[in-house]
Amino acid sequence: MHKKVAVIGSGFSGISASAYLGKMGYEVHVFEKHDQPGGRARQFKTDSGFTFDMGPSWYWMPDIIENFFNDFGYKSKDFYELVALNPQFEMIFADAKLNVPQSYEELKNVFESLEKGSAKKLDAFMLDAKYKYQVGMQEFVNKPSINWLEYVSPKIAKSALKLDLLSNFRDFVAKYFKNKKLQVLMEFPVIFLGASPKNIPALYSLMNYGGYALGTFYPQGGFYQLVLAMKKIAEENGVKFHFNQNVTEIKVENKRATAIKVNNTELFFDYIVGSSDYHHTETLLEKKYRNYTESYWSSKTFAPSCLIYYIGINQKIPKLKHHTLFFENELDNHIDTIYTNKKWPEKPLFYVCCPSKTDPNVAPKENENLFFLMPLAIGLNDTEETREKYFNLMISRLENLTKVSDLKSKIIYKKSYCVSDFISDYNAYGGNAYGLANTLKQTAVLKPKIINKKVKNLYYTGQLTVPGPGVPPSIISGKIVANQIYKQK
């Protein structure tokens, strides 16, 4: 008789864990409180003809995502068309615009135009970043990080100094580039890892390689196509998905999780995987069985929450790119409001995605689909009045860029999403959007454990445990947990 596994939540880590466990021969059931899979990567459609991805919009590290498909004998192209974006994105400064081209050779020309000699320095930076990417994404991220002995190997020991674990990202970038715009461009990818670049290990230059060198992509039909593809693979491996099924309790007997309570019904399983927010999964247990206390969570550094707007516009916006970063204001001032002062920013930075530039099916003909995102501190009070204040700031800066006047009058669909929504929809601690920060003190073994130390058959996966925030790491997290269960059988 097959062992039964319950997976709580159907975000990327939950679907990944379920697919691998199904392939290993387990009877797997995924319980999702919403009416569709994907978690933060859900999608919704409007009566007016718009299709909005609710969360992730940067398809980076395509090779890591491809590894998931390869593990099941597939390629991503078996499920969706992946389009390489050119430019990858546009970055707006107070006095200039900077386009990041798809071609690496063209990117070197952009660097050289801003700082003489920086093209060769970019080569050196990327060579170093590639090494970190290969070691980090092959050696580090696939470890369960239960204890430090996992990291005792000749290869990792040999790599230790080259990985720059003890130097900070800001100083590392400054060694290569003096131009302020180039420094900001190189620092941008680590902002969502959960700390200022001056507090993130230089190891994470691997993000620059995974983005700028490997390219930025878009799956036609939206990021949700990745969710649907992964779900299909899981189902092909026998996984059963149960939607509108809210798990409210994990039952424990004799230090073993025996059952979950779903919509007031007890269901019995041999193993339980919490792919929901780690802190929330713990609240489903009696306090004596939890790995961590409330004071533990309050002491942690979280990656940002954010203010999001989903906007439908009834005309084309000619000068807008697929991805646009509005960095006219000082980066550190905004970062300090997220991680130090924890307040709404006075002069915010933000990002606009316009997928209708690449995909004609996400908006009616001659219309545009816009996604605004402004990173914020967790735990903020987000009244509708405050949300609207910042929306007005963002859309006015979009008008300045595109020279399209009175964009507000052209809005035919508008929906906001912020801290309180992350809490109500995902039970996200403090309304976090991206999980736990990848600071040095919260890396590898220092992250919340994937195993429950008091309950033998309870596991955790997702962006609050190893390897960390982001879509590729979440997919890997599911695989790590599946392998850990398989080892314990």
Side-chain angles (χ1 to χ4, degrees), residues 8-280:
I8 304 169
S10 67
F12 284 114
S13 66
I15 302 177
S16 172
S18 72
Y20 284 108
L21 286 164
K23 185 183 179 184
M24 292 168 182
Y26 294 92
E27 180 186 328
V28 187
H29 295 263
V30 180
F31 297 90
E32 169 58 54
K33 67 180 279 191
H34 296 288
D35 61 1
Q36 60 175 299
R40 287 165 170 79
R42 290 181 297 154
Q43 189 179 77
F44 71 93
K45 298 177 185 291
T46 72
D47 292 339
S48 48
F50 294 95
T51 299
F52 293 100
D53 281 327
M54 294 188 69
S57 55
W58 291 81
Y59 198 108
W60 274 2
M61 303 185 183
D63 57 325
I64 305 301
I65 296 175
E66 203 65 41
N67 287 343
F68 172 84
F69 291 105
N70 295 165
D71 283 345
F72 296 90
Y74 285 109
K75 296 179 180 178
S76 60
K77 67 181 181 181
D78 296 325
F79 299 93
Y80 50 80
E81 178 190 356
L82 206 54
V83 178
L85 299 181
N86 190 27
Q88 297 186 43
F89 60 90
E90 183 172 56
M91 186 171 266
I92 309 303
F93 296 99
D95 58 352
K97 292 187 289 189
L98 195 160
N99 279 296
V100 175
Q102 178 190 355
S103 161
Y104 179 71
E105 287 303 313
E106 290 179 22
L107 180 62
K108 286 167 62 177
N109 293 337
V110 170
F111 272 65
E112 192 68 21
S113 70
L114 291 172
E115 180 181 327
K116 190 171 178 58
S118 64
K120 284 187 178 180
K121 289 180 180 178
L122 181 62
D123 277 339
F125 183 99
M126 284 300 183
L127 186 64
D128 178 88
K130 181 179 181 179
Y131 177 82
K132 291 172 182 171
Y133 186 85
Q134 290 172 337
V135 174
M137 299 310 289
Q138 291 174 16
E139 294 291 320
F140 278 9
V141 299
N142 292 300
K143 296 189 180 299
S145 295
I146 294 167
N147 63 64
W148 287 112
L149 291 176
E150 298 167 31
Y151 293 89
V152 179
S153 77
K155 185 171 183 179
I156 290 177
K158 185 180 177 182
S159 306
L161 289 175
K162 289 184 71 175
L163 292 175
D164 289 308
L165 287 167
L166 299 179
S167 53
N168 74 70
F169 191 79
R170 171 154 292 169
D171 289 347
F172 182 77
V173 169
K175 283 197 310 183
Y176 289 87
F177 310 108
K178 305 305 177 191
N179 180 276
K180 181 67 175 175
K181 292 182 176 65
L182 294 183
Q183 289 177 346
V184 170
L185 173 65
M186 299 308 276
E187 288 180 356
F188 150 68
V190 306
I191 292 173
F192 296 99
L193 292 177
S196 165
K198 61 189 176 186
N199 295 323
I200 289 282
L203 165 69
Y204 289 103
S205 62
L206 65 85
M207 295 282 289
N208 298 99
Y209 180 79
Y212 303 166
L214 296 183
T216 303
F217 297 84
Y218 173 82
Q220 289 290 69
F223 218 102
Y224 193 60
Q225 296 305 311
L226 175 56
V227 174
L228 295 178
M230 291 177 65
K231 175 176 178 280
K232 185 174 182 182
I233 287 173
E235 288 175 327
E236 287 180 357
N237 284 275
V239 177
K240 299 287 190 294
F241 286 82
H242 308 273
F243 298 108
N244 298 308
Q245 303 288 305
N246 190 31
V247 178
T248 54
E249 189 177 352
I250 298 173
K251 296 280 190 178
V252 178
E253 291 180 17
N254 299 321
K255 296 185 178 180
R256 290 191 69 86
T258 57
I260 56 175
K261 201 169 187 179
V262 185
N263 294 351
N264 295 317
T265 300
E266 277 191 23
L267 302 171
F268 295 88
F269 291 92
D270 299 295
Y271 299 94
I272 294 169
V273 176
S275 170
S276 50
D277 182 275
Y278 197 124
H279 170 268
H280 170 70

Side-chain angles (χ1 to χ4, degrees), residues 222-465:
F223 218 102
Y224 193 60
Q225 296 305 311
L226 175 56
V227 174
L228 295 178
M230 291 177 65
K231 175 176 178 280
K232 185 174 182 182
I233 287 173
E235 288 175 327
E236 287 180 357
N237 284 275
V239 177
K240 299 287 190 294
F241 286 82
H242 308 273
F243 298 108
N244 298 308
Q245 303 288 305
N246 190 31
V247 178
T248 54
E249 189 177 352
I250 298 173
K251 296 280 190 178
V252 178
E253 291 180 17
N254 299 321
K255 296 185 178 180
R256 290 191 69 86
T258 57
I260 56 175
K261 201 169 187 179
V262 185
N263 294 351
N264 295 317
T265 300
E266 277 191 23
L267 302 171
F268 295 88
F269 291 92
D270 299 295
Y271 299 94
I272 294 169
V273 176
S275 170
S276 50
D277 182 275
Y278 197 124
H279 170 268
H280 170 70
T281 304
E282 293 262 89
T283 67
L284 305 179
L285 293 161
E286 290 183 59
K287 283 188 178 180
K288 63 182 178 181
Y289 296 124
R290 297 175 188 175
N291 271 350
Y292 305 105
T293 62
E294 287 297 320
S295 61
Y296 170 88
W297 291 109
S298 64
S299 71
K300 295 292 105 176
T301 302
F302 279 80
S305 184
C306 52
L307 169 63
I308 299 171
Y309 269 90
Y310 310 100
I311 303 293
I313 300 280
N314 67 358
Q315 72 167 59
K316 285 294 180 184
I317 306 175
K319 295 183 180 180
L320 192 59
K321 305 294 192 296
H322 187 114
H323 292 302
T324 308
L325 305 175
F326 287 81
F327 275 53
E328 307 103 308
N329 298 323
E330 183 60 41
L331 174 63
D332 280 349
N333 289 344
H334 191 127
I335 287 175
D336 285 346
T337 68
I338 298 173
Y339 304 117
T340 307
N341 304 319
K342 296 188 184 300
K343 63 180 183 179
W344 286 85
E346 290 181 19
K347 295 182 177 180
L349 311 178
F350 66 99
Y351 149 66
V352 174
C353 179
C354 185
S356 48
K357 291 297 178 189
T358 306
D359 188 347
N361 297 314
V362 298
K365 191 174 182 181
E366 297 305 315
N367 285 210
E368 298 283 32
N369 173 319
L370 300 180
F371 173 96
F372 290 75
L373 185 149
M374 185 175 81
L376 296 170
I378 66 169
L380 295 182
N381 183 27
D382 60 332
T383 65
E384 196 58 46
E385 182 182 12
T386 303
R387 296 184 189 196
E388 194 65 17
K389 170 189 168 183
Y390 283 91
F391 175 69
N392 288 334
L393 282 173
M394 291 189 288
I395 200 162
S396 67
R397 281 160 67 181
L398 180 61
E399 288 175 345
N400 288 339
L401 170 68
T402 61
K403 309 304 180 189
V404 177
S405 60
D406 197 17
L407 273 174
K408 285 182 72 175
S409 69
K410 293 153 178 133
I411 294 172
I412 55 176
Y413 182 84
K414 180 181 178 185
K415 174 184 172 70
S416 66
Y417 201 94
C418 201
V419 178
S420 58
D421 299 299
F422 282 101
I423 294 171
S424 61
D425 279 0
Y426 309 123
N427 302 297
Y429 185 87
N432 79 83
Y434 298 97
L436 205 61
N438 266 349
T439 59
L440 188 57
K441 293 180 180 179
Q442 294 179 174
T443 296
V445 176
L446 303 177
K447 284 187 182 293
K449 294 285 186 283
I450 65 166
I451 58 171
N452 186 292
K453 294 172 280 189
K454 302 166 187 175
V455 183
K456 293 178 181 177
N457 57 336
L458 175 59
Y459 299 81
Y460 307 86
T461 186
Q463 57 185 10
L464 269 73
T465 183

